[in-house]
Amino acid sequence: MLIPDLHGKTVRVSPSTFPFIDKQRLLISKYLRISPPEIFVYENFYYGAEIVGLTKPWMEISSKTISDFSPQEITFLIAQQFSHIYLHHYVLKTHSEQLLKSLQFVETTTGINLINLFGTIDGLAEAIRLVYYNWTREIAHTADFYGLLFCGKIDVAVNVIIKMIINNSELAESVNKSEYIKSNDYFSSLDGVVSFYTKLDEPLPYGPVRIAEMIKYLSLSSNKQLFNKMKATQEEI
């Protein structure tokens, strides 16, 4: 979203506007030792939250997300997104997306498109895209771990993943969580060229895979200790 639109078509989170979100914004920033990014709420019928910007990144979250998500689920999303700033993911993400857009523009430029008759530029763009998608899938898992640590409950994390996929809080409540998580076994059993390239073509991991990775993360004793410590801290607030 462009800067004029950012201030003209959104509502900025502050101590008097969405105070809980502002409180979590400051708290999580303090733990991560980052300058508290501003959070802007935009109108949309879809769930969504992301970090935008390069020099001074901020977070954007849809009004539907705030309306339908519980406080703990919103905490998960804030921590998840703030981790991208803490780990500087947003820098590489922004540059990579601009590079891919530039290659798309070059493909249609008069003269240069003649070079592309042999698929040189197309092949390069596809290779970069697949490498980029592999990276975005990995950082999605990392961000999920941060969200889990700060929300303090695996059930909350599971609810967030399912809600983001199904885009309906009422329907998400009807999902059999255990059955959904077990569907990760299906993805693990897939082999063959088609399934391999289908998974490569996804910018985010499949929902059951993300949940399985969080459960695996908690199974490590060192991570479990950190999780319990963060959980106790959240309960005191």
Side-chain angles (χ1 to χ4, degrees), residues 9-220:
K9 296 182 178 180
T10 67
V11 174
R12 185 174 67 86
V13 169
S14 71
S16 57
T17 303
F18 306 116
F20 171 78
I21 297 178
D22 190 64
K23 179 182 178 182
Q24 294 302 89
R25 175 182 76 92
L26 297 175
L27 178 67
I28 294 171
S29 296
K30 180 180 179 180
Y31 270 104
L32 296 179
R33 297 182 181 180
I34 61 174
S35 177
E38 290 192 301
I39 300 179
F40 295 88
V41 182
Y42 63 93
E43 187 277 328
N44 204 302
F45 292 108
Y46 294 95
Y47 297 145
E50 65 175 335
I51 295 299
V52 185
L54 186 58
T55 306
K56 187 180 180 182
W58 64 89
M59 177 177 166
E60 295 181 4
I61 184 169
S62 74
S63 55
K64 182 177 174 65
T65 305
I66 293 177
S67 175
D68 290 3
F69 279 46
S70 71
Q72 288 180 316
E73 290 167 349
I74 291 176
T75 296
F76 176 95
L77 287 176
I78 295 174
Q80 179 195 61
Q81 294 305 313
F82 278 19
S83 73
H84 291 310
I85 297 177
Y86 172 65
L87 298 170
H88 301 284
H89 292 156
Y90 72 97
V91 178
L92 183 55
K93 181 176 182 289
T94 301
H95 288 311
S96 299
E97 290 175 349
Q98 290 302 315
L99 174 59
L100 289 171
K101 288 179 181 178
S102 298
L103 289 172
Q104 289 177 348
F105 174 76
V106 167
E107 289 175 358
T108 60
T109 303
T110 303
I112 297 181
N113 57 0
L114 295 176
I115 302 176
N116 200 37
L117 288 174
F118 301 100
T120 305
I121 298 175
D122 286 340
L124 176 62
E126 182 64 11
I128 293 175
R129 187 178 67 84
L130 290 178
V131 171
Y132 173 62
Y133 278 5
N134 181 68
W135 177 73
T136 57
R137 290 194 298 272
E138 291 300 321
I139 67 171
H141 288 307
T142 302
D144 287 344
F145 299 155
Y146 276 87
L148 176 60
L149 284 174
F150 279 92
C151 78
K153 292 183 178 180
I154 186 64
D155 290 346
V156 172
V158 171
N159 287 339
V160 170
I161 299 300
I162 293 176
K163 282 185 177 180
M164 294 295 280
I165 289 174
I166 206 169
N167 199 57
N168 187 296
S169 59
E170 292 183 5
L171 292 179
E173 292 298 323
S174 301
V175 174
N176 185 310
K177 306 298 192 302
S178 298
E179 187 176 291
Y180 181 77
I181 295 171
K182 286 180 180 178
S183 63
N184 177 60
D185 296 337
Y186 166 74
F187 296 112
S188 301
S189 66
L190 290 177
D191 54 15
V193 176
V194 175
S195 60
F196 176 74
Y197 282 102
T198 299
K199 287 185 281 187
L200 277 183
D201 202 42
E202 293 295 327
L204 290 174
Y206 295 124
V209 177
R210 295 176 72 171
I211 295 171
E213 286 298 314
M214 283 190 282
I215 294 173
K216 187 188 301 182
Y217 175 83
L218 285 181
S219 67
L220 299 176

